[in-house]
């Protein structure tokens, strides 16, 4: 059994790769020529160089594979020009799924995101059926993932593809080498750079549990269905306080209203355009923070046997890894 994994040099993709190797799969990974490959070190995987924007490389990558785990995505909450993100997340996904279909791949798992799902106004956990549409989604990244998922679902229907969609929530844990936007929150908190917070919330899950959920979706998922792979719903303040408790440093924080953060984020974005550095806050991220981004994994638990450990353990593992690898100053 040979499985192709995209995004294996990244945070979630590397965790999926590790789960597959542990399960006895022969693993091939598609990586960009100049990518950081630290997350591949120590694993006997076959490396194919390519790019989601290069159809020829996609055809080489899927050749002779039995299954596909498409995890790769351009994951940034701020981009000055969304063109590249659209080419990778939307057009690249379409090209890869078509190439896999033409190569006769027998099973596909597509990594979408809870970003494609709707949210409940009352803060109760959303599920796979909570309605959503493009007009209600903030940010280039989230919109690109919504568009990509729509394409994947249509291709699955049109071609009767053996494909399952998973919608991870917010992964936390080791090997976040980039780091991800959520990983940056952990690092900033450890470094004492999170003196304030807004009233929002996230669903926090250990990256290794989400990765195991991918394998369960491969084994037990129903074709054409989607499954939320999540963990514990926590307010941002609870997350920050949990990190404080883990490292034994109690801090007082200021609650900043969303209305105050919007002009600050606008200013940060204008400065970022000049400095070409990612702003600490963006208008899209502040607009997203207006709602509690809480989700339920009940369907995955019921149909796949998915399980997740307490979020505090995910935070502990992330903190340990970031500190051991010199991310905190």
């Amino acid at each position: 059994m040979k499985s192709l994994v995209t995004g294996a040099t990244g945070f979630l993709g590397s965790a999926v790769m590790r789960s597959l190797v542990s399960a006895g799969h022969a693993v091939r990974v598609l990586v960009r020529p100049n990518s950081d490959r630290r997350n591949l070190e120590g694993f006997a995987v076959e490396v194919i160089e390519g790019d989601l924007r290069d159809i020829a490389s996609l055809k080489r990558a899927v050749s002779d594979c039995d299954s596909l785990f498409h995890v790769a995505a351009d994951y940034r909450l701020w981009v000055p020009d969304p063109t590249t993100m659209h080419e990778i997340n939307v057009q690249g996904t379409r090209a890869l799924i078509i190439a896999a279909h033409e190569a006769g791949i027998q099973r596909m798992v597509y990594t979408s995101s809870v970003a494609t799902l709707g949210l409940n106004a009352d803060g109760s956990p959303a599920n796979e059926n909570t309605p959503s549409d493009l007009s209600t989604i903030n940010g280039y990244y989230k919109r690109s993932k919504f568009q990509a998922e729509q394409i994947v679902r249509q291709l699955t229907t049109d071609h009767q593809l053996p494909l399952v969609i998973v919608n991870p929530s917010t992964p936390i844990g080791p090997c976040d080498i980039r780091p991800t936007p959520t990983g940056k929150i952990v690092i900033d908190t450890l470094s004492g750079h999170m003196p304030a917070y807004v009233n929002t919330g996230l669903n926090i899950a250990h990256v290794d549990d989400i990765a195991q959920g991918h394998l369960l979706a491969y084994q037990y998922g129903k074709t054409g269905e989607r499954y939320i792979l999540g963990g514990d719903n926590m307010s941002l303040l609870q997350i920050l306080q949990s990190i404080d408790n883990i490292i034994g440093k109690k801090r007082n924080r200021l609650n900043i209203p969303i209305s105050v953060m919007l002009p600050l984020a606008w200013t940060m974005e204008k400065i970022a355009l000049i400095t070409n550095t990612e702003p600490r806050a963006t208008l899209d991220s502040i607009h997203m923070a207006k709602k509690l981004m809480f989700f339920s994994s009940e369907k995955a638990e019921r149909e796949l046997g998915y399980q997740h450990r307490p979020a505090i353990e995910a935070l502990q593992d992330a903190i340990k890894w970031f500190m051991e690898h010199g991310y905190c100053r």
Side-chain angles (χ1 to χ4, degrees), residues 87-197:
E87 290 174 347
I88 293 172
N89 293 355
V90 182
Q91 297 174 358
T93 292
R94 183 180 188 277
L96 177 61
I97 297 301
I98 290 175
H101 169 58
E102 292 176 346
I105 283 187
Q106 300 168 11
R107 188 65 157 166
M108 306 180 207
V109 177
Y110 168 62
T111 307
S112 184
S113 168
V114 291
T116 68
L117 306 174
L119 295 171
N120 293 320
D122 64 359
S124 60
N127 61 32
E128 292 83 355
N129 296 320
T130 305
S132 177
D133 64 76
L134 195 59
S135 66
T136 65
I137 295 177
N138 292 304
Y140 292 131
Y141 170 73
K142 289 193 172 187
R143 286 197 287 270
S144 72
K145 292 299 286 185
F146 181 90
Q147 292 171 315
E149 186 181 296
Q150 294 303 303
I151 288 173
V152 169
R153 296 177 77 176
Q154 190 62 54
L155 288 172
T156 301
T157 300
D158 291 346
H159 300 286
Q160 297 183 326
L161 301 182
L163 186 146
V164 178
I165 296 171
V166 292
N167 300 78
S169 61
T170 305
I172 292 286
C175 301
D176 190 1
I177 60 173
R178 191 177 176 182
T180 59
T182 313
K184 290 178 183 177
I185 291 176
V186 176
I187 293 169
D188 285 346
T189 307
L190 293 173
S191 303
H193 298 149
M194 288 289 289
Y197 68 97

Side-chain angles (χ1 to χ4, degrees), residues 247-298:
I247 62 176
K249 290 184 178 180
K250 186 175 181 179
R251 297 185 176 98
N252 294 318
R253 292 187 172 84
L254 178 67
N255 176 216
I256 301 182
I258 296 292
S259 59
V260 173
M261 282 301 302
L262 285 171
L264 291 175
W266 182 88
T267 302
M268 290 179 187
E269 285 196 12
K270 295 303 179 184
I271 294 172
L273 289 173
I274 298 171
T275 61
N276 198 32
T277 57
E278 187 172 343
R280 290 177 63 85
T282 68
L283 288 170
D284 286 334
S285 66
I286 300 304
H287 283 301
M288 284 187 281
K290 291 179 180 179
K291 292 185 178 181
L292 297 173
M293 291 167 275
F294 289 168
F295 298 92
S296 169
S297 301
E298 191 275 333

